Amino acid sequence: MEVRRQARRGRGAVTNPACRYERARVVPLEGGEGQERFEDEEIGPLRTTVTPDATKTIIARNDSPDVPFDRSINPYRGCEHGCVYCFARPTHAYLGLSPGLDFETRIFSKPSAARLLREELRRPNYRPDVLALGSNTDPYQPAERRLRITREILEVLAEHNHPVSIVTKSDLVLRDLDILAPMAGRRLACVFLSVTTLDPELARRMEPRAAAPARRLEAIRGLSGAGVPAGVLASPMIPGLNDHEIESILEACAAAGAASAGWILLRLPLELKEMFSDWLLENYPLKASRVLHLVRETRGGNLSDSAFGRRMSGEGAHADLIRRRFEIARRRLGLRDRPEPLDCGQFRVPPRPGDQIRLFE
């Protein structure tokens, strides 16, 4: 079912486009003489539901040349943070749901994640490498405060001396300093805070249930103070909307203790192209035309480009300008372009009761 213009307080998407695999679509009439106006059943605030997901495997593999890891874990499907630009939104279609409001209100948790991870790490043919936590949806979204799935995963990784890299928008990561700080002391952990803007109003509209920018800076400060390598991911940079903040974002994060920095250009795959355009028209109608024009300039005349090597950074004069400004600011502030390498050589499989003693190792 497709329902347009459903802006709700505290939610990012203003539309709930139909799952692209559905053949039938219901489009509400705009009203008018002789027409019966469609009324949505839930005209008030939408509540978030969290449903356990009976997943059978937990480590996702990839061979993309655009990302610096080949394995990741996402403790949740969907994300209540509601970031309107999130490139992961179209993945909700795999569940028969909308990438719009469904993505941020119908969350699926993986309560068996720690057990499944322990089983995978104990396989004889497993070879350790840095595991990315939260590459698709945020591992510290609101449901984590109660469910603690991310914390259980970290406990398993710490038990096995397995390196982990975390990306989040939440200061909830500070809750797990008792695990992350000792791991970082053994070069087994680093954390990136995604900081898209320092403007609280823009953040409220664009990332309605994520931590405010000031709290993300405090998270960087807390991580760095505890000895956990902290970086900033200025992502996504949206031409004409937040790209003017590149220098100020990096300066604020460096002052808070960030040691490295990266950036990604806005990506609008599949349904996200129309959804983001609708959000712009709803929230920034006077800027919408220019922003979309600049996005097309960085994407070869389109709103999206999925080609490896270009999808993260774009092309053209405006993309090159963002890249140069970022590099100049990063070097001026002494920020590395990537964190110090983590150590994969400490990995071990702890013995369990009943295991045979290994005489030759």
Side-chain angles (χ1 to χ4, degrees), residues 119-266:
E119 292 173 359
E120 294 202 38
L121 297 184
R122 294 183 66 86
R123 290 179 180 171
N125 62 346
Y126 181 79
R127 296 295 178 267
D129 205 340
V130 178
L131 191 150
L133 191 54
S135 60
N136 211 41
T137 56
D138 203 307
Y140 286 103
Q141 59 180 285
E144 172 62 18
R145 293 186 181 276
R146 174 173 57 89
L147 298 180
R148 302 169 70 87
I149 298 172
T150 297
R151 182 175 176 85
E152 292 175 357
I153 290 171
L154 290 176
E155 289 171 343
V156 173
L157 295 173
E159 179 185 349
H160 287 75
N161 284 339
H162 194 293
V164 62
S165 174
I166 300 172
V167 176
T168 183
K169 287 183 171 72
S170 176
D171 58 343
L172 181 58
V173 66
L174 297 177
R175 177 201 65 185
D176 294 335
L177 278 179
D178 60 318
I179 302 174
L180 291 171
M183 290 185 73
R186 303 194 302 275
R187 293 177 53 215
L188 294 174
C190 64
V191 179
F192 279 89
L193 266 293
S194 175
V195 181
T196 312
T197 178
L198 299 178
D199 180 353
E201 178 60 23
L202 176 57
R204 184 186 66 78
R205 291 171 180 257
M206 192 166 58
E207 309 158 335
R209 298 201 176 197
R215 287 169 54 193
R216 295 184 218 181
L217 294 177
E218 284 303 310
I220 292 175
R221 187 170 288 108
L223 289 162
S224 178
V228 180
V232 55
L233 190 59
S235 168
M237 283 291 103
I238 305 172
L241 190 63
N242 70 341
D243 60 340
H244 65 283
E245 294 189 69
I246 291 176
E247 291 83 0
S248 58
I249 289 173
L250 295 188
E251 288 167 2
C253 291
S260 60
W263 73 284
I264 298 175
L265 189 70
L266 175 71

Side-chain angles (χ1 to χ4, degrees), residues 61-71 264 267 306-313 338:
R61 305 278 180 165
N62 81 84
D63 58 1
S64 169
D66 290 329
V67 294
F69 56 84
D70 68 354
R71 67 201 67 186
I264 298 175
R267 294 172 54 199
S306 60
F308 288 142
R310 296 198 305 263
R311 60 182 184 147
M312 300 295 194
S313 56
R338 63 193 66 191

